[in-house]
Amino acid sequence: MYKILRKKVLNPTVISITVEAPNAARLAKAGQFIILRVDEEGERVPFTIADANPQDGTVTIIYQVVGASTRKLMALNEGDYLADFAGPLGKPSEIEGENVVIIGGGVGCAIALPTAKAFHQAGKHVDTIVGFRNKDLVILEDEFKAVSDHYYLMSDDGSVGEKGLVTQKLEELIKNGQKIDKVIAIGPLIMMKFVCQLTKQYDIPTVVSMNPIMIDGTGMCGGCRLMVDGKMKFACVDGPDFDGHLVDFDAAMSRNRQYFEKERHDYEATCNLLNKKEEN
């Protein structure tokens, strides 16, 4: 059993929890993930490690409430326990390149932050571009500023930062002649696809973090398979970081849509069950 030590609501649908997990905290590196189960009957769900503190033996994950498991996870509070918390899993991010631009979209910023932090600690020049739909959804602003040489905040409606897309700001930097050795994009598949289309035009190496459906996290189930350079890869053991110019994003998006109806049904059933428990 893994104890939840801290819980923080970052915006209406995004929550941070810090879990007592000494072994995972000691071994974790930027880009890796854990797989947890809320309870003994729960499904296995992957979450990228947002922060790890080996001194106090804790791991922090940040998640968005979108399905049944995250709805059950949201119902837990400080002092409650998780049934399983396995990791770290996956390959760590490669901290290479002197001048990097890290792009985060929405809750993907929780995954981008530890990568930005690792580059910053390695003495690299780090610019971050983050995008949200509006000001109410912004997360981790102070944390990004602390590890970035320049921080650019974009919003769809212009209610915070600059109005526009992360790709617009990236292209602006490129056209202004900024030296960029590598771009790392983490967020919605559609966002990563368009970032990669842009960087391919300018021949800028680009890494994306692929976090599809995972079950066992060891490459045995095949649940996280995706096509990279025409070959089948497994995000859990071959990634989650991949060369973005080689990823088949259309196939990945099509595959994710296959689970939409089931996820919505399970989410509604879980909400009804939790509501009944609260009433009682």
Side-chain angles (χ1 to χ4, degrees), residues 21 51 90 92 102 107 148 152 155 157 184 206-207 230 238 248 252 254 268:
D51 190 35
I102 296 178
V107 74
S148 304
Y152 303 99
S155 60
D157 63 358
I184 301 171
T206 303
V207 173
D238 297 319
D248 187 335
S254 175
E268 293 173 351

Side-chain angles (χ1 to χ4, degrees), residues 33-202:
F33 64 95
I34 57 91
I35 287 183
L36 66 77
R37 286 195 307 159
V38 177
D39 53 42
E40 294 294 339
E41 298 178 354
E43 64 179 345
R44 296 166 59 89
V45 189
F47 295 98
T48 299
I49 296 169
D51 190 35
N53 188 325
Q55 283 72 43
D56 62 13
T58 61
V59 171
T60 298
I61 62 170
I62 297 174
Y63 64 93
Q64 185 171 27
V65 183
V66 293
S69 291
T70 47
R71 178 65 181 83
K72 289 169 68 176
L73 185 57
M74 183 182 71
L76 298 182
N77 294 302
E78 294 176 358
D80 290 333
Y81 289 83
L82 301 170
D84 294 314
F85 196 86
L89 301 167
K91 295 180 179 179
S93 297
E94 295 182 358
I95 312 303
E96 298 176 351
E98 294 302 315
N99 301 279
V100 298
V101 174
I102 296 178
I103 301 176
V107 74
C109 290
I111 306 173
L113 178 61
T115 301
K117 183 177 179 181
F119 273 97
H120 175 74
Q121 290 177 338
K124 313 296 186 180
H125 180 96
V126 180
D127 288 343
T128 56
I129 306 172
V130 299
F132 299 91
R133 290 198 304 274
N134 57 58
K135 64 180 182 180
D136 296 328
L137 300 180
V138 175
I139 61 172
L140 304 173
E141 185 172 9
D142 292 338
E143 289 84 349
F144 270 112
K145 288 180 178 179
V147 297
S148 304
D149 291 275
H150 298 96
Y151 169 80
Y152 303 99
L153 173 60
M154 311 296 292
S155 60
D156 293 354
D157 63 358
S159 59
V160 67
E162 299 180 47
K163 183 177 182 180
L165 305 174
V166 294
T167 47
Q168 292 174 280
K169 176 55 68 174
L170 176 60
E171 187 163 28
E172 178 186 317
L173 297 181
I174 294 170
K175 288 184 174 180
N176 286 341
Q178 178 164 326
K179 180 174 175 52
I180 302 174
D181 299 319
K182 180 191 289 186
V183 169
I184 301 171
I186 306 172
L189 288 172
I190 190 66
M191 182 211 80
M192 294 192 290
K193 174 184 176 179
F194 284 113
V195 167
C196 291
Q197 286 182 352
L198 175 63
T199 57
K200 192 170 185 178
Q201 295 176 31
Y202 294 95

